[in-house]
Amino acid sequence: MKSSLRTHSTRVLAAGALSVALLASGAAAAFAADPVAPNPVAGTSTKSPNLATKPAQPNLKPAMTATSITIRANRTDVKSGQSVTFTGQAKGLKTGDRLELQRYDGSKWATVKTVTVKRGSSYTYALATKLTGMGKEKLRVVHAKTMSPTVTVTVK
């Protein structure tokens, strides 16, 4: 009787230690995970948004965040040879990722300049380039399969 009580106590102690270890690793993963953005639904109150968090699953890879790139030109009308600065945000990318400024030449997109994403405020970038062609230039910023909307600059 004494040995079965000792065996039972050992099993309970081992199960309890395993449970504590699993809970601790799950809690650490839950705190490390980014919360998912609120998804407002028509007819719900905006006073208390429904924030869902990623489940704590330590052996699974984290979900990829959606990437988006914005672009803005400091001037949309320039003389040939003048510099234009393009700025924007690259959300969902990592600091140090490369962005390409591309120009549409009428049949294909060609890379004009490359820059890296900076952490600053919300992963911003800035690209300055001189436009020498005449007419309307279509430009965009690209990273892998993610691209910004097209910006048109008129060169006179």
Side-chain angles (χ1 to χ4, degrees):
M1 180 97 172
K2 197 172 193 183
S3 68
S4 67
L5 181 61
R6 186 177 299 157
T7 305
H8 181 65
S9 297
T10 305
R11 287 182 187 161
V12 170
L13 182 63
L18 182 61
S19 297
V20 168
L22 289 174
L23 285 173
S25 67
F31 283 111
D34 293 332
V36 176
N39 187 7
V41 179
T44 60
S45 172
T46 58
K47 291 182 182 176
S48 61
N50 182 14
L51 295 177
T53 57
K54 296 176 186 174
Q57 297 175 347
N59 292 334
L60 298 178
K61 292 182 180 180
M64 294 293 292
T65 57
T67 57
S68 67
I69 303 172
T70 62
I71 186 170
R72 186 177 333 132
N74 68 336
R75 294 186 256 178
T76 55
D77 292 314
V78 295
K79 292 181 181 178
S80 181
Q82 281 187 322
S83 181
V84 179
T85 302
F86 299 95
T87 58
Q89 292 182 336
K91 295 180 181 176
L93 301 179
K94 295 181 275 186
T95 302
D97 280 350
R98 290 208 166 290
L99 295 174
E100 296 178 356
L101 176 66
Q102 294 183 339
R103 178 185 154 280
Y104 190 68
D105 67 5
S107 62
K108 63 180 169 106
W109 289 95
T111 301
V112 176
K113 210 165 198 181
T114 306
V115 70
T116 58
V117 178
K118 294 181 181 173
R119 179 75 163 73
S121 62
S122 299
Y123 303 97
T124 59
Y125 69 89
L127 285 157
T129 188
K130 290 183 181 181
L131 299 177
T132 56
M134 299 294 276
K136 294 188 180 211
E137 296 280 345
K138 292 182 181 181
L139 298 121
R140 69 180 183 183
V141 175
V142 177
H143 174 267
K145 293 183 180 180
T146 305
M147 59 196 81
S148 70
T150 304
V151 171
T152 303
V153 178
T154 305
V155 183
K156 299 175 184 176

